[in-house]
Amino acid sequence: MPAVLDFEKPLIELESKIAELTSFSEEKGLDLSDEIDNLKRRADELKSSIFANLTPWQQVQLARHPDRPNTEDYVRMLFEDFLELHGDRCYSDDPAIYGGIGLFQGTSVTVIGHLKGRDTKENVSRNFGMAHPEGFRKALRLMEQAEKFRRPVISFLDTPGAHCGIGAEERGQSQAIAQNLLRMSVLRIPIIVIVIGEGGSGGALALGVGNRTLMLEHAIFSVITPEGCASILWKDAARAREAAEALKLTAQDLLSLRIVDEVVPEPLGGAHRDPYAAADLLRKSLARNLESLKDVPPEELVQRRYAKYRNIGSVGG
Amino acid sequence: MIVFKKPKYVTVPQEDKKEMPEGLWSKCPKCGLIIYKKDMAKNLHVCIKCGYHFRIGVEERLQFTLDEGSFVECDAELVADNPLGFPNYPEKLAEVRQTTGLSEAVVTGEGSILGYRTVVGIMDSRFIMASMGAAVGEKVARAVERACERQLPLILFIASGGARMQEGMVALMQMAKTAVVLKHINAAGLLYVTVLTDPTTAGVSASFAMLGDIIIAEPGALIGFTGPRVIEQTIKQKLPEGFQTAEFLQQHGMIDLVVPRCKMRETLARILMLHQGREHSAGSP
Ligand SMILES: [Zn+2]
């Protein structure tokens, strides 16, 4: 049984009615195509109207949707001959971070990303995509290896945040994130960052310093979860809806704020309703962005990436 | 070396607390000692009984660390905007500016320590827990650039609760800004020292704070990525004694030195000397 969000319910109900009617007409040999077409039209209209008017809180729910394609899904759909690589060479292999080498339209690329689980069991083993320091260090190792072999890096962001716990603190969660930010900035290769689901604060940014930052239409990227923001500012986690609005965490908002460079459209209804269509749309955008960076000299890649982050933030006075 | 007279102190039992004149006395959160504020100031705001380091503001830090009259502030005009139009943020800023007399959570400039010239930045936790928004990020970035221009070392006194929520992703991106700008100081071969003070957490600890060539911390300072209360709520157990303190970080290999406030000035001067040679000191340490 797939997870259904509240605001998707009327649509799901209509769709199941259509399915029911279709099988009924086939069973009884009755021609109900007029009624069915009518319902389909209504479903399309409903879908358009729901998704044209999503609130920031609904975007948050979509970004966290358990059926939303994760990093591994996109890797499977977008890259050929992908080979997963493991470990940070210091401490362990963090299953919350996925990485390796694959072919994108014939070109070798290094892929890294946070990886949420598909179900509860996998989520427990992958820590819901929340990385420990060793995960960030694995990602950095793979990126520095990409530089050696002049491979572009494609980085998928999808995490509620960096792991919070005793071991993570002991092994230097802050140090690991800080190192990634600095060292990603000087890599002499193209880096393309794609926010595919939940871009959770510093744990997301630790994989997120790139030449181009793409963001899927229904992904979010935020300094703090709306729940966390509401409970700190208003001592009331239930005001998360309000916080989601105030935080300006949707792809459109972040495009306006120039935090992201491009919003990648999703199929109507969201990536979880049609992962292959979502991957097709992403492939087009990724190909175009890779192409635009292909012939840029290494020094200029570094310089442009630097300028992008150096200039974020308007200040009065 | 400055010598301090041993301050007088009295211990007052807990139940008399409400009778103490507000504002004249401080209670040590670690050992419970009640200290006359003037005496505490003489002891650099360190508890005379147990050595607890109270948080101090920009003014005290300057006074305790830099040569008298040597500090010149830069970029004081950089102050926070409201990039997201976040509700009640301008009011919050106005209120904090009023109560602290500060314009932002960090003060940056140039001065000297026992004669050694340095670019310096000091964060002040009274200003929205010294959270980092665009103005803080910009001031830190400009301090790095100034150090490179002037061919001087950079010393940053850190205290922060992390990125400033009210500036959302603009604040988060200051982590990247303050980290990437440090490539210049590395390329220029200039020294960058961070002094982590209570508290150094979240977005600031996970960016420029942890990227010092030499990382110092004040005794007992809370330093970490996630704050201890959030960790306790998440793992549903009490954290061990001393978890996330300066000493804990040193044990785990995350920082170089734990330096008490009374030794900070001479320690920094020695580090500057070791990177420049004695002849660079303008005065005579
Ligand atoms: Zn004490």
Side-chain angles (χ1 to χ4, degrees):
Chain A
M1 174 73 197
V4 176
L5 302 173
D6 273 351
F7 62 88
E8 292 180 302
K9 263 185 197 148
L11 182 60
I12 306 278
E13 278 164 16
L14 202 54
E15 282 175 345
S16 67
K17 210 172 184 182
I18 293 167
E20 228 171 76
L21 216 55
T22 308
S23 68
F24 178 79
S25 77
E26 278 164 9
E27 231 170 77
K28 306 280 171 184
L30 291 165
D31 180 14
L32 298 170
S33 56
D34 277 357
E35 284 89 336
I36 291 169
D37 285 349
N38 200 14
L39 283 177
K40 278 184 178 164
R41 245 192 325 275
R42 266 176 57 198
D44 285 345
E45 280 164 20
L46 188 61
K47 198 166 17 170
S48 301
S49 82
I50 291 173
F51 281 83
N53 297 298
L54 290 173
T55 65
W57 179 246
Q58 289 171 333
Q59 297 276 22
V60 171
Q61 292 173 291
L62 276 175
R64 293 173 178 169
H65 199 293
D67 297 332
R68 200 169 163 82
N70 64 13
T71 294
E72 198 178 21
D73 295 326
Y74 283 115
V75 166
R76 202 175 42 246
M77 294 185 283
L78 294 173
F79 304 94
E80 289 131 51
D81 291 306
F82 183 77
L83 180 69
E84 189 184 357
L85 300 172
H86 293 272
D88 70 341
R89 302 294 187 271
C90 291
Y91 181 77
S92 76
D93 183 43
D94 187 346
I97 298 286
Y98 188 65
I101 314 167
L103 293 177
F104 179 76
Q105 300 182 335
T107 306
S108 280
V109 295
T110 287
V111 180
I112 56 167
H114 310 89
L115 184 52
K116 289 182 176 180
R118 268 274 137 266
D119 47 41
T120 309
K121 195 173 153 230
E122 199 195 346
N123 253 326
V124 168
S125 76
R126 298 204 176 274
N127 198 30
F128 298 84
M130 298 185 290
H132 281 73
E134 49 271 24
F136 297 126
R137 290 176 184 134
K138 167 166 76 172
L140 182 61
R141 181 178 77 80
L142 295 178
M143 288 188 278
E144 293 189 330
Q145 186 181 82
E147 184 184 41
K148 171 176 175 180
F149 297 106
R150 307 216 158 281
R151 283 193 291 265
V153 169
I154 318 293
S155 179
F156 291 91
L157 272 46
D158 190 17
T159 179
H163 177 75
C164 129
I166 292 178
E169 296 293 323
E170 286 175 336
R171 298 194 290 279
Q173 191 68 292
S174 289
Q175 193 272 352
I177 295 170
Q179 279 294 328
N180 278 25
L181 299 178
L182 175 58
R183 285 158 79 175
M184 281 184 90
S185 78
V186 294
L187 291 176
R188 294 161 59 84
I189 42 167
I191 302 175
I192 295 179
V193 174
I194 310 166
V195 192
I196 57 168
E198 216 180 347
S201 197
L205 188 60
L207 265 53
V209 177
N211 290 89
R212 302 280 298 160
T213 304
L214 319 181
M215 190 160 168
L216 265 55
E217 190 182 348
H218 301 304
I220 58 166
F221 202 171
S222 184
V223 67
I224 186 169
T225 60
E227 293 87 344
C229 178
S231 73
I232 292 172
L233 275 191
W234 306 312
K235 316 278 172 233
D236 183 4
R239 289 171 72 182
R241 272 158 221 269
E242 255 171 275
E245 266 160 51
L247 284 166
K248 301 279 184 283
L249 43 64
T250 69
Q252 267 319 320
D253 284 335
L254 294 172
L255 185 70
S256 315
L257 285 166
R258 300 195 188 183
I259 303 287
V260 304
D261 302 302
E262 189 176 316
V263 176
V264 181
E266 292 183 27
L268 189 62
H272 64 290
R273 295 172 64 87
D274 193 347
Y276 286 97
D280 282 341
L281 290 162
L282 179 54
R283 183 182 297 109
K284 278 187 199 122
S285 164
L286 184 54
R288 179 166 35 75
N289 280 285
L290 269 175
E291 180 64 26
S292 75
L293 297 172
K294 201 181 68 183
D295 299 320
V296 180
E299 294 75 25
E300 205 183 320
L301 284 173
V302 173
Q303 181 46 40
R304 283 193 206 170
R305 197 180 315 133
Y306 174 77
K308 173 176 156 180
Y309 291 92
R310 176 64 189 84
N311 296 327
I312 291 181
S314 65
V315 181
Chain B
M1 183 62 210
I2 314 144
V3 183
F4 299 97
K5 269 193 244 164
K6 194 174 188 245
K8 287 177 230 137
Y9 58 86
V10 287
T11 38
V12 181
Q14 285 277 39
E15 51 269 32
D16 288 1
K17 214 166 74 183
K18 51 185 175 298
E19 284 166 35
M20 287 190 307
E22 191 62 37
L24 280 178
W25 303 86
S26 277
K27 184 181 172 192
C28 173
K30 198 174 160 198
C31 74
L33 183 72
I34 308 290
I35 317 165
Y36 193 41
K37 272 195 177 167
K38 273 190 185 158
D39 289 338
M40 202 167 77
K42 280 190 214 153
N43 201 39
L44 309 178
H45 296 274
V46 174
C47 175
I48 31 212
K49 192 173 163 202
C50 73
Y52 175 81
H53 282 54
F54 285 83
R55 291 175 186 175
I56 56 174
V58 170
E59 227 148 83
E60 289 88 1
R61 184 70 66 185
L62 280 172
Q63 189 200 328
F64 299 161
T65 319
L66 269 74
D67 299 338
E68 204 180 332
S70 73
F71 182 74
V72 178
E73 191 180 351
C74 305
D75 301 319
E77 74 284 0
L78 291 178
V79 293
D81 260 352
N82 189 6
L84 310 186
F86 201 96
N88 302 321
Y89 182 40
E91 291 80 3
K92 173 98 190 159
L93 285 170
E95 181 200 318
V96 174
R97 282 176 189 141
Q98 173 91 46
T99 55
T100 62
L102 298 164
S103 62
E104 251 304 336
V106 67
V107 169
T108 56
E110 199 181 312
S112 63
I113 298 175
L114 296 177
Y116 292 94
R117 302 290 308 165
T118 182
V119 173
V120 63
I122 299 169
M123 302 182 82
D124 194 319
S125 63
R126 293 171 301 167
F127 199 98
I128 321 185
M129 204 29 92
S131 52
M132 174 163 62
V136 170
E138 184 64 22
K139 284 175 102 169
V140 168
R142 290 196 192 178
V144 174
E145 287 161 351
R146 179 163 300 105
C148 295
E149 257 163 51
R150 309 265 295 122
Q151 291 288 296
L152 286 173
L154 170 65
I155 301 175
L156 294 181
F157 289 87
I158 319 265
S160 182
R164 192 173 297 166
M165 235 170 355
Q166 295 90 338
E167 294 189 30
M169 282 299 291
V170 175
L172 189 79
M173 287 296 166
Q174 303 307 307
M175 288 175 69
K177 182 199 273 189
T178 56
V180 306
V181 75
L182 287 167
K183 75 170 189 167
H184 293 312
I185 216 162
N186 291 341
L190 293 165
L191 172 68
Y192 170 44
V193 178
T194 52
V195 182
L196 315 185
T197 73
D198 190 59
T200 296
T201 59
V204 166
S205 90
S207 59
F208 61 97
M210 278 295 169
L211 293 170
D213 296 304
I214 294 179
I215 307 177
I216 300 175
E218 284 198 325
L222 169 74
I223 305 162
F225 182 67
T226 313
R229 238 176 313 159
V230 175
I231 299 180
E232 281 187 339
Q233 283 163 10
T234 308
I235 65 177
K236 295 178 180 70
Q237 63 186 77
K238 278 279 300 153
L239 291 168
E241 182 78 17
F243 184 72
Q244 293 183 313
T245 58
E247 295 76 8
F248 172 94
L249 265 87
Q250 192 183 28
Q251 274 164 23
H252 285 86
M254 295 301 152
I255 62 172
D256 292 286
L257 298 164
V258 178
V259 176
R261 203 168 282 161
C262 64
K263 298 270 190 221
M264 192 62 79
R265 188 172 154 90
E266 60 183 74
T267 304
L268 289 171
R270 190 199 293 179
I271 290 169
L272 295 173
M273 185 275 286
L274 288 168
H275 286 80
Q276 299 169 38
R278 284 190 197 280
E279 69 274 16
H280 283 270
S281 166
S284 48

